[in-house]
Structure formats: structure tokens, C-alpha cells
Amino acid sequence: MQSVTLKDKTFIPYITSDKILESVKEIAGRINFELVNDKPIFLVVLNGSFMFAADLLKEVTIECEISFIKLASYHGTSSTGTVTEMIGLTEEIKGRNVVIVEDIVDTGITLEKLVNLLTKKEVKKIKVASFLLKPEAYKKDIKVDYVGIEIPNAFVVGYGLDYDGLGRNMKEIFVLK
Ligand code: 5GP
């Protein structure tokens, strides 16, 4: 694997495609075993999770549904500050077992907002699958049930993750030099 330059930054090889697929299969195996009776709905958080979700869900063999959502932030009134909204969900999720599919959990702010939104919709149970987790940055109490690979506090691209819109299509993960 060679270094790549995206715009003004150079990234060096970090996690190979083989290693990625190995950990994705491990997560799928655990989900197939642990959620076999749950009939879950997987909520894939776009954009970054598209590649992880595709690989993961090819290996998930239990009965399930898959839906794709985006989180949109906008500034509300001064009393409410920034409001986060979930867009794209057409399915009724009240009373359902939900598995959030994330590309990366860093500080956990995004995850917490999403869990709060889902809780308001009265889902039955929430599980979280994130391909990457930065344990040093993560300060929230929400359990990340399925983690592919833990990484230090560094900026990574590839496998769905972008730098300024670029790099999402790379099948390996690269880290900022
Ligand atoms: P949070 O801090 O809320 O857990 O993460 C917010 C978002 O920042 C993630 O969903 C992801 O889009 C982005 N992010 C966090 N760390 C990285 C990283 O190392 N590389 C890239 N490309 N995006 C990241």
C-alpha cells in the first residue's frame, strides 16, 4: 500500500483491506448469534457507513430490515441552540429492536444525539455497531456493543470515511501523516 495525497494532506497506509474484512466478519458473527431472535432494523448512518454496512450486512444472516438515515444539524432559536434531526427514515420503528451502524465513533456526540432521537421514538432496544472507535476521545456512557477496530486519536480516511469529501472509495484505511 502506498501513501495517498488528498487535497493538501498526505495519508499513510494504516489498516489493510484483509484486516478490515476479518473484523467485519467477526462483528457479523456476533450479531448473528446474539440478535437471532430480535428481528432488528439496521439503521445505517450515511454517508460514511455505506461501505462498512455493505460488507457487514452481506455477512448478517438473521431476519432483519435495513434502512438508511442522515443526521442534519441546523440552528434553532437561541433557546434551543443547534438542533439535530434524523432524516430519511420511512419505517415505523416504535417498539422495534434497532442496530445503529456507524463508521466511526470519536467523541460520541453524534451517537448520543442519535440515541436520544431514537429513544423519543420509543424503540424497544438499541444496539450500536461502529467499525472504528477512538477510546481516548470517547467520553459518553452509551455502550458501543460491536466495535471493529479501536484506534488512537488520529484522523483516518478510506473505507467510507472522507477528507473534505475525498477518499471514501478507498478499500483500505489510511491515517494522516
Ligand atoms: P463524534 O465526535 O460525534 O463521535 O464523531 C463525529 C463524526 O466525525 C463522525 O461520524 C465522522 O463523520 C467524523 N470523524 C470523527 N473522526 C474521524 C476521522 O478520524 N476521520 C474522518 N474522516 N471522520 C471522522
Side-chain angles (χ1 to χ4, degrees):
M1 278 163 75
Q2 301 227 319
S3 300
V4 291
T5 300
L6 302 172
K7 295 199 172 161
D8 56 329
K9 301 219 179 326
T10 300
F11 296 85
I12 54 174
Y14 189 48
I15 307 173
T16 64
S17 178
D18 285 352
K19 174 85 177 85
I20 290 170
L21 292 176
E22 195 183 303
S23 30
V24 171
K25 278 185 184 165
E26 249 178 63
I27 297 179
R30 286 184 51 208
I31 287 176
N32 287 335
F33 182 71
E34 292 174 19
L35 308 185
V36 65
N37 296 316
D38 280 14
K39 295 195 175 96
I41 178 160
F42 289 87
L43 289 190
V44 179
V45 187
L46 297 173
N47 292 330
S49 304
F50 77 96
M51 212 177 266
F52 170 48
D55 286 338
L56 177 72
L57 291 161
K58 279 186 271 184
E59 302 291 334
V60 166
T61 51
I62 58 173
E63 186 181 324
C64 66
E65 288 174 47
I66 303 166
S67 194
F68 300 87
I69 59 161
K70 268 197 176 196
L71 291 177
S73 299
Y74 61 94
H75 291 287
T77 63
S78 54
S79 59
T80 51
T82 307
V83 181
T84 302
E85 189 190 20
M86 183 169 57
I87 52 176
L89 186 70
T90 50
E91 290 81 357
E92 172 62 77
I93 55 167
K94 185 175 175 179
R96 300 287 311 268
N97 294 313
V98 169
V99 183
I100 295 171
V101 181
E102 272 283 16
D103 48 358
I104 188 164
V105 173
D106 184 353
T107 62
I109 291 170
T110 311
L111 178 63
E112 186 178 61
K113 284 180 177 167
L114 181 54
V115 166
N116 287 341
L117 290 168
L118 292 173
T119 306
K120 279 194 201 135
K121 290 189 179 287
E122 299 177 56
V123 298
K124 186 171 168 194
K125 184 167 78 178
I126 301 172
K127 293 274 179 183
V128 182
S130 180
F131 183 64
L132 296 174
L133 173 71
K134 296 182 184 173
E136 290 162 25
Y138 187 61
K139 299 280 179 270
K140 304 289 179 189
D141 293 329
I142 299 160
K143 187 173 174 214
V144 184
D145 304 273
Y146 306 102
V147 177
I149 297 172
E150 293 189 346
I151 61 169
N153 261 343
F155 187 79
V156 293
V157 291
Y159 200 61
L161 290 157
D162 74 308
Y163 167 57
D164 211 4
L166 297 176
R168 290 194 199 277
N169 54 314
M170 300 188 295
K171 64 180 178 182
E172 300 93 8
I173 293 174
F174 293 77
V175 64
L176 185 63
K177 191 172 173 180

